[in-house]
Amino acid sequence: MNLLKFDSTEKLNEAGAGIITGLIQTNRRAVLGLATGGTPVGIYGEVVASYRRGLVSFKEVTTFNLDEYVGLPEEHPESYHSYMEQHLLRHIDLPREQAHIPNGNAADLQEECRRYDALLDKAGQIDLQLLGLGHNGHIGFNEPDHALISGAHVVTLREETRQANARFFPSLADVPTQAITMGVGTILKAKMILLVVRGADKAEIVHRALTGPITTDCPASLLQTHPHLVVLLDNEAGRLFP
């Protein structure tokens, strides 16, 4: 594990974007696993800036998003389809057919999970998986449980997860109760995992995830088993680390 702390948001964003664009510069056909939420917004902004400066092209890149809400129309401003359009896809030259996001409105959600896993299998190993971290230790929408599912699946979101995401919606009642998420097994198969965590409210859970016992009660703790884990923390999130 390579853990880095940053004393400014700008430096963290630049470092995260540099890892992503550096990979694409050396492997123009890179397969990226992408995350959403507040954490990676600034990183995507720096990636877009690098593209606009002509430093990187996404024409041969393939991307797979971690998750999507169930039942939220793609055009809804809080869907992850809309998020990716707003923060990344509309600003770069990635062909849309190479950008994959689960369909949370599929008529058969189980079949959609199988379809998504088949696309991942066809693409081969993810070269870099970008992750944030939930307050309860979830990665993607893999919630704490007695067992974790390897492949894509439908998950019922825990109340604390919905409450954490309620800031993006008019009210808690508007937050979807289910999502499709990439499985932990798929995440851990990535060649490299880039975990980005910000804020004092995440300090205890990121410390537990990276130094505590490996347990499905904290899905992110399984990242300790990964051979190429890079962790980017701001000083607040990293306050419990030396």
Side-chain angles (χ1 to χ4, degrees):
M1 177 175 64
N2 186 7
L3 188 149
L4 303 170
K5 290 198 293 184
F6 297 87
D7 58 12
S8 75
T9 297
E10 292 74 19
K11 291 178 182 176
L12 189 154
N13 291 337
E14 289 172 0
I19 291 170
I20 294 170
T21 56
L23 169 65
I24 298 169
Q25 286 165 346
T26 58
N27 177 10
R28 67 180 187 274
R29 296 182 179 178
V31 179
L32 304 179
L34 299 180
T36 54
T39 299
V41 169
I43 291 175
Y44 290 145
E46 290 293 332
V47 168
V48 170
S50 293
Y51 166 74
R52 287 175 172 164
R53 292 197 297 269
L55 301 178
V56 65
S57 171
F58 294 81
K59 287 182 179 178
E60 297 183 67
V61 170
T62 302
T63 66
F64 289 91
N65 266 70
L66 280 167
D67 41 35
E68 176 60 287
Y69 288 118
V70 167
L72 208 62
E74 289 186 5
E75 64 273 14
H76 189 285
E78 297 306 330
S79 78
Y80 293 152
H81 281 76
S82 292
Y83 175 104
M84 294 308 301
E85 282 291 330
Q86 177 184 353
H87 295 295
L88 185 65
L89 297 180
R90 73 173 59 159
H91 306 291
I92 60 175
D93 60 347
L94 177 70
R96 287 301 190 274
E97 66 271 16
Q98 292 161 213
H100 303 289
I101 305 173
N103 178 8
N105 295 286
D108 186 333
L109 293 176
Q110 300 304 324
E111 178 57 33
E112 172 60 13
C113 292
R114 288 189 288 270
R115 183 192 73 85
Y116 206 64
D117 277 341
L119 286 173
L120 283 158
D121 288 341
K122 183 178 180 181
Q125 194 175 13
I126 291 173
D127 292 295
L128 183 151
Q129 176 65 61
L130 177 63
L131 292 179
L133 177 65
H135 287 89
N136 62 4
H138 72 240
I139 47 177
F141 272 133
N142 293 280
E143 300 279 30
D145 206 340
H146 65 277
L148 298 175
I149 299 173
S150 177
H153 59 284
V154 179
V155 61
T156 298
L157 301 179
R158 286 201 171 195
E159 191 66 13
E160 61 263 30
T161 298
R162 295 182 66 241
Q163 289 175 354
N165 290 351
R167 68 189 188 277
F168 300 117
F169 291 85
S171 71
L172 178 61
D174 295 298
V175 182
T177 59
Q178 290 185 308
I180 294 177
T181 185
M182 191 186 293
V184 171
T186 302
I187 292 170
L188 292 176
K189 288 177 184 175
K191 295 178 184 177
M192 173 183 176
I193 293 178
L194 177 60
L195 176 67
V196 183
V197 188
R198 308 175 190 269
D201 58 327
K202 297 285 184 71
E204 292 186 6
I205 190 59
V206 71
H207 189 264
R208 175 187 170 195
L210 299 180
T211 67
I214 298 174
T215 169
T216 58
D217 287 332
C218 180
S221 68
L222 276 74
L223 297 176
Q224 294 181 45
T225 68
H226 198 274
H228 193 183
L229 172 65
V230 177
V231 183
L232 307 184
L233 307 175
D234 63 13
N235 280 340
E236 290 78 14
R239 64 182 173 83
L240 299 179
F241 291 92

